[in-house]
Amino acid sequence: MTNETAFSYKQGNSFLHRCPAWVKIILIPVISVGIFYLPPYFVVALIALQTLVSFLLHFTLREQVRDLKAVFYYAVFLIFVKIIGNLLAAISMGSLASFEVSVFLQVLLDFLVSEKETWLLLLKLFCVIQTASLIFKTSTSLQIREGLEVMELAVRRSLHLKPLVDDRPNAPIAQAVSLFICFIPQVSKNWQQAERAWKARGGRKSLRMFAVLLPVFFSVGMKQAYNSARAISARIR
């Protein structure tokens, strides 16, 4: 089940696996911000490099695509909305009196050629998600939490804030952020389990499946978040 979950940790002994979690956590925003300022050919080179690294770490193509699936869905939705917008604009201007396949193909071709910024944005978003995927796949939830705690305690010491409460590390911000970050793979796992249960009972992938599973999905997620918050609160006390 863990292997079927997006952004899930995969055991290994590579340099990325041994790298301290706090270093990787810092690299995510640094690399992500840099990606949006780099020229397109640098982004393409980084995507190729990260794909090569993923294969060297024995991440299968299916595992890589699973983490990047959200970008594909967003790209399809964005392209669909823009094409519909272009068609409606053509109709309102009177340049499209009747719907024809050739006209639709022309609008699609114009979109593919003119929307360079859209393609560049999707390319950079793809690269950012790919970077985050590498971090999640080489770091356990415990490592991420401990890495955030190391960072917060270092900041508290530099600001001369009291880092200890009852001789225990006090990093409430790190705990809250780690809960949020580590909940991303858990959300994917919950949906995978719900979808598998639906198909095991003979259900098919349709609008009815989403209508039935989404309330259960949100309910389970909220309950897990509540239980995790209570567990952390009990440990702090």
Side-chain angles (χ1 to χ4, degrees):
M1 188 63 225
T2 302
N3 294 332
E4 297 294 327
T5 303
F7 295 101
S8 59
Y9 171 76
K10 187 170 183 178
Q11 188 174 3
N13 193 33
S14 67
F15 169 75
L16 278 177
H17 285 85
R18 296 192 302 269
C19 181
W22 66 268
V23 175
K24 292 185 281 187
I25 293 170
I26 292 176
L27 285 178
I28 290 180
V30 172
I31 295 177
S32 299
V33 172
I35 287 171
F36 283 94
Y37 286 96
L38 290 174
Y41 49 85
F42 277 108
V43 178
V44 174
L46 184 56
I47 290 176
L49 177 61
Q50 292 185 143
T51 302
L52 177 61
V53 170
S54 297
F55 281 119
L56 291 176
L57 295 177
H58 304 291
F59 299 152
T60 64
L61 181 61
R62 182 180 179 182
E63 289 172 338
Q64 296 179 48
V65 171
R66 186 185 300 118
D67 290 355
L68 301 169
K69 194 181 296 183
V71 181
F72 296 130
Y73 289 152
Y74 176 73
V76 171
F77 175 77
L78 185 63
I79 293 170
F80 175 78
V81 170
K82 284 188 171 288
I83 291 176
I84 295 299
N86 290 345
L87 285 172
L88 293 177
I91 293 174
S92 62
M93 293 174 62
S95 58
L96 187 61
S98 59
F99 179 80
E100 297 178 0
V101 176
S102 59
V103 176
F104 175 78
L105 293 177
Q106 183 62 41
V107 172
L108 178 60
L109 181 61
D110 293 340
F111 168 77
L112 295 177
V113 174
S114 62
E115 295 292 336
K116 294 181 180 179
E117 293 185 0
T118 301
W119 297 118
L120 182 58
L121 173 64
L122 291 174
L123 186 68
K124 291 181 177 181
L125 182 61
F126 182 94
C127 190
V128 170
I129 299 298
Q130 192 181 38
T131 303
S133 173
L134 278 174
I135 304 301
F136 273 107
K137 285 190 173 301
T138 57
S139 307
T140 64
S141 300
L142 178 61
Q143 290 172 339
I144 292 176
R145 181 176 65 80
E146 291 178 344
L148 290 169
E149 288 181 354
V150 169
M151 294 168 60
E152 183 176 351
L153 292 175
V155 172
R156 286 177 174 272
R157 284 192 296 267
S158 64
L159 298 177
H160 303 288
L161 299 175
K162 190 176 181 181
L164 299 177
V165 174
D166 297 332
D167 297 327
R168 291 180 300 174
N170 181 27
I173 298 178
Q175 292 170 352
V177 174
S178 64
L179 272 178
F180 175 76
I181 293 177
C182 297
F183 207 60
I184 296 175
Q186 186 62 46
V187 167
S188 174
K189 181 179 179 180
N190 290 344
W191 179 254
Q192 291 286 342
Q193 289 177 333
E195 190 174 8
R196 283 172 176 265
W198 173 266
K199 291 180 179 179
R201 288 168 173 78
R204 296 182 179 181
K205 198 168 186 177
S206 60
L207 291 177
R208 184 172 178 270
M209 182 191 78
F210 290 97
V212 173
L213 295 185
L214 281 177
V216 179
F217 170 70
F218 284 114
S219 175
V220 171
M222 293 298 292
K223 183 177 180 180
Q224 288 179 340
Y226 175 72
N227 290 337
S228 299
R230 289 189 62 188
I232 290 180
S233 177
R235 287 180 176 88
I236 293 176
R237 292 174 186 175

